[in-house]
Amino acid sequence: MDWVFESFDILPALDKNEPIEQVPVKYCAETDRLMVYPADDLLTILPVGADESITQKTFHLPESVAAPVKQGDVIGTVDISLSGEVIGTVELLAERDLDRNMVLYTLSKVGEFFSSLYFKVLMVLTGAAVAVYLVLYFISLAKGRGSKKIRRRY
């Protein structure tokens, strides 16, 4: 027992008071990055003299988050591994509140609409309808001119 207590310590694998990663934020005018903090320190048994750098971290975060975000919202998770074995998973929480900027949000949604398949199909159909209308219009003009010329002869 003495050897175990002399050779190993119970240490935190993470520091929940320090930001661990950042995530891009969409639709926010205040910032374009959100810092995330671990929800827990995840105490683990490590060799004496080791620190949290002995563990490997695998993040499971979205490519970006959309504002609004509230402080403490779960943004993702991190797996903590030691020698290739996952020893725990900790949730990653939002550092602070971020409000949605309605102008940025609206511009983004308008841009998404104009680049959507729906809009492109609508434009092709509208173009086709206009082309058909113009063809029919010019055909009717040609028929109208021809019938007027015939009437003048008689």
Side-chain angles (χ1 to χ4, degrees):
M1 284 286 242
D2 290 334
W3 175 82
V4 171
F5 286 111
E6 290 172 3
S7 302
F8 296 94
D9 281 333
I10 298 177
L11 299 171
L14 301 167
D15 183 356
K16 68 180 181 180
N17 297 318
E18 291 293 321
I20 191 168
E21 191 61 58
Q22 58 184 351
V23 179
V25 178
K26 297 191 300 189
Y27 318 131
C28 182
E30 302 168 38
T31 182
D32 62 347
R33 297 273 176 204
L34 173 67
M35 300 303 292
V36 292
Y37 288 78
D40 188 16
D41 289 331
L42 186 68
L43 295 176
T44 185
I45 298 173
L46 296 175
V48 170
D51 58 7
E52 68 181 48
S53 66
I54 196 171
T55 59
Q56 298 83 39
K57 297 168 185 70
T58 306
F59 294 96
H60 304 282
L61 292 167
E63 287 184 26
S64 64
V65 293
V69 175
K70 297 292 179 199
Q71 181 179 9
D73 282 355
V74 176
I75 304 300
T77 60
V78 60
D79 292 335
I80 307 299
S81 303
L82 181 65
S83 300
E85 292 288 326
V86 176
I87 57 174
T89 300
V90 177
E91 291 180 334
L92 298 174
L93 309 177
E95 165 193 35
R96 61 185 177 126
D97 292 345
L98 295 176
D99 294 324
R100 176 181 289 168
N101 181 305
M102 287 311 292
V103 172
L104 293 175
Y105 179 74
T106 303
L107 288 174
S108 174
K109 292 302 172 185
V110 168
E112 287 176 17
F113 172 73
F114 284 120
S115 64
S116 71
L117 180 62
Y118 174 78
F119 180 74
K120 291 174 184 174
V121 168
L122 184 63
M123 287 295 99
V124 167
L125 291 176
T126 302
V130 167
V132 167
Y133 175 79
L134 289 174
V135 166
L136 293 175
Y137 176 75
F138 287 120
I139 289 173
S140 71
L141 277 180
K143 283 183 180 181
R145 287 182 185 170
S147 64
K148 287 181 185 177
K149 290 180 181 177
I150 293 173
R151 287 182 193 162
R152 290 183 186 166
R153 288 185 186 171
Y154 294 110

